């Protein structure tokens, strides 16, 4: 009986060890994918700065470099992986400022955020890959001016972030490829949208993540759902306990 109980205990230990190692490996792989954003984006942006400087566009050079510095400051976030929605929206706003200059004002954008959502917590760098996807797959090849809308709102116990564009749209097959990580754009950073979905589900569980809706020639809408957690909510929970 003692040997049998010892065997069961050891099996549980080994199973827990395997699960822990697999999760650690997966987190490491996702961190590597996430880090790929920076070098490619930095290279393209600096090339744009050089071209702007050669044309004597000083104001756009200053705007681009200022937004680039703020973009990376939020990207680093003192090593934190969780930031506020307000910070995440600020991060993607600077990304859009840079891209709008790079693409010679080919698109416009708007960012809206409900007051209740501003202080909610989110994984950092989840909006930028979605917006990048909207530019490269939806707007870049459009003959007309593009438009991107980003919003954040609290709906019940969920935080809902939405990215919409009026781009070319995608077929169900392409959407499946993007979510599975099998679709690549030559212009993109190489960090797939599936990376965002995997990070969210790894952190919060399978009920949360990304949902795509798209129609050809109409545009694409991406909805990100997360649990609505804020500093205020955490303070109330500690007070109740």
């Amino acid at each position: 009986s003692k040997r049998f109980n010892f065997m069961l205990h050891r099996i549980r230990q080994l199973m827990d060890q395997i699960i822990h190692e697999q999760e650690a490996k997966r987190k490491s792989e996702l961190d590597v994918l996430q880090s790929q954003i920076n070098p490619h984006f930095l290279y393209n942006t600096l090339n744009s700065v050089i071209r702007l400087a050669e044309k004597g566009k000083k104001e756009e050079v200053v705007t681009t470099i200022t937004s680039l510095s703020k973009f990376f400051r939020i990207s680093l976030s003192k090593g934190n992986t969780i930031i506020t929605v307000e910070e995440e929206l600020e991060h993607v706003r600077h990304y859009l400022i840079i891209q709008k200059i790079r693409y010679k004002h080919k698109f416009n954008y708007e960012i809206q955020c409900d007051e209740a959502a501003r202080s909610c917590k989110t994984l950092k760098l989840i909006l930028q890959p979605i917006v990048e996807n909207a530019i490269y797959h939806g707007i870049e090849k459009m003959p007309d001016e593009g438009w991107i809308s980003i919003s954040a709102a609290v709906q019940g116990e969920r935080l809902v972030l939405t990215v919409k564009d009026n781009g070319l749209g995608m077929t169900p097959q392409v959407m499946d490829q993007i979510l599975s990580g099998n679709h690549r754009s030559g212009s993109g950073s190489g960090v797939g949208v599936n990376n965002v979905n995997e990070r969210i589900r790894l952190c919060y569980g399978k009920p949360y993540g990304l949902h795509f809706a798209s129609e050809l020639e109409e545009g694409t809408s991406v909805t990100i759902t997360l649990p609505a957690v804020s500093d205020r909510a955490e303070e109330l929970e500690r007070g109740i306990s």
Side-chain angles (χ1 to χ4, degrees):
S1 177
K2 287 182 179 179
R3 288 182 178 177
F4 182 77
N5 289 334
F6 175 80
M7 181 183 70
L8 288 178
H9 178 69
R10 184 58 180 158
I11 289 173
R12 290 194 188 98
Q13 282 184 326
L14 291 172
M15 290 176 65
D16 290 339
Q17 181 180 342
I18 291 171
I19 291 171
H20 176 75
E21 288 175 352
Q22 289 299 318
E23 286 183 352
K25 180 182 178 182
R26 189 60 180 156
K27 285 181 180 179
S28 177
E29 291 172 350
L30 293 175
D31 287 341
V32 170
L33 286 174
Q34 180 178 320
S35 69
Q36 292 176 8
I37 294 173
N38 298 342
H40 191 96
F41 178 65
L42 178 61
Y43 173 80
N44 285 338
T45 303
L46 291 178
N47 272 344
S48 296
V49 169
I50 291 171
R51 289 195 296 270
L52 290 170
E54 288 174 345
K55 295 178 181 179
K57 297 183 177 181
K58 296 180 181 179
E59 290 185 7
E60 292 189 352
V61 168
V62 172
T63 299
T64 303
I65 293 176
T66 301
S67 288
L68 184 65
S69 65
K70 292 180 178 179
F71 174 88
F72 280 113
R73 177 179 60 79
I74 299 173
S75 295
L76 295 173
S77 302
K78 299 179 181 179
N80 298 324
T81 58
I82 304 295
I83 60 177
T84 65
V85 169
E86 189 168 18
E87 290 172 315
E88 178 69 8
L89 291 175
E90 183 72 1
H91 179 263
V92 78
R93 185 175 74 85
H94 289 297
Y95 175 79
L96 282 164
I97 289 172
I98 294 167
Q99 293 291 58
K100 187 173 180 179
I101 292 173
R102 281 190 58 212
Y103 281 88
K104 299 178 181 178
H105 305 280
K106 183 176 175 61
F107 65 88
N108 284 311
Y109 64 89
E110 64 175 1
I111 299 176
Q112 298 178 334
C113 181
D114 290 353
E115 193 61 34
R118 291 184 183 277
S119 60
C120 285
K121 298 299 183 67
T122 176
L123 282 170
K124 71 177 179 182
L125 306 184
I126 61 173
L127 285 174
Q128 184 269 334
I130 307 297
V131 172
E132 180 185 87
N133 187 73
I135 294 172
Y136 293 139
H137 293 290
I139 292 175
E140 186 176 31
K141 297 179 182 179
M142 279 179 59
D144 302 321
E145 183 179 77
W147 170 80
I148 297 174
S149 173
I150 302 171
S151 64
V154 174
Q155 298 178 7
E157 297 182 351
R158 294 196 171 194
L159 169 66
V160 179
L161 307 174
T162 306
V163 178
K164 295 181 180 180
D165 68 72
N166 68 335
L168 299 176
M170 295 178 287
T171 64
Q173 290 78 15
V174 171
M175 284 191 289
D176 288 341
Q177 289 174 358
I178 289 173
L179 274 173
S180 63
N182 295 322
H183 190 85
R184 287 288 181 270
S185 168
S187 304
S189 67
V191 179
V193 171
N194 70 305
N195 171 238
V196 174
N197 202 37
E198 289 285 344
R199 287 168 57 212
I200 291 172
R201 292 190 170 184
L202 186 63
C203 185
Y204 300 112
K206 287 188 177 180
Y208 303 99
L210 305 183
H211 174 73
F212 273 74
S214 185
E215 291 186 25
L216 291 176
E217 306 301 329
E218 294 291 332
T220 301
S221 175
V222 183
T223 303
I224 307 172
T225 55
L226 304 168
V229 179
S230 65
D231 287 333
R232 180 59 180 161
E234 290 174 354
E235 288 173 3
L236 288 172
E237 285 181 4
R238 286 196 296 268
I240 292 172
S241 60

